[in-house]
Amino acid sequence: MPAIPSRRRAPRARPDLVFRPAGDAWILADPTGAPAQVLSFTTALIWSYCDGHHDFGAIAEAIAPALPSRPDPAAIRAQVRAAIDAWNSAGLLS
């Protein structure tokens, strides 16, 4: 299993993955044959900041203004952490 990124380390998406819109959602496809993931608006925003330059806190701050429901900062950080942990476990981060 890949190492879990620390909160201080900036997660980086694997460069070979395909990230594209699909109606109201986004698709994250892995060319190695792993099942594609369907991302919500919020998780697609989080994914777009997994560029190796934004750490967990920076991602949470960057997506907050775009979220329609304006959740509290702790809830946003929890969403960011959960999404990145799941992607890391699935081997989608490098």
Side-chain angles (χ1 to χ4, degrees):
M1 177 189 322
I4 296 175
S6 74
R7 291 178 194 263
R8 284 179 239 101
R9 190 173 140 230
R12 179 182 299 275
R14 277 187 17 220
D16 63 323
L17 299 174
V18 177
F19 178 57
R20 61 180 169 81
D24 291 338
W26 289 78
I27 300 293
L28 188 57
D30 186 342
T32 66
Q37 295 198 13
V38 178
L39 305 182
S40 67
F41 174 76
T42 301
T43 53
L45 280 174
I46 295 167
W47 182 260
S48 69
Y49 284 97
C50 289
D51 57 6
H53 300 289
H54 295 85
D55 65 14
F56 289 82
I59 293 171
E61 287 177 26
I63 71 167
L67 299 178
S69 63
R70 301 283 190 211
D72 70 276
I76 296 170
R77 286 190 301 274
Q79 281 185 295
V80 169
R81 184 58 157 175
I84 290 172
D85 285 350
W87 295 327
N88 192 60
S89 293
L92 302 177
L93 300 175
S94 56

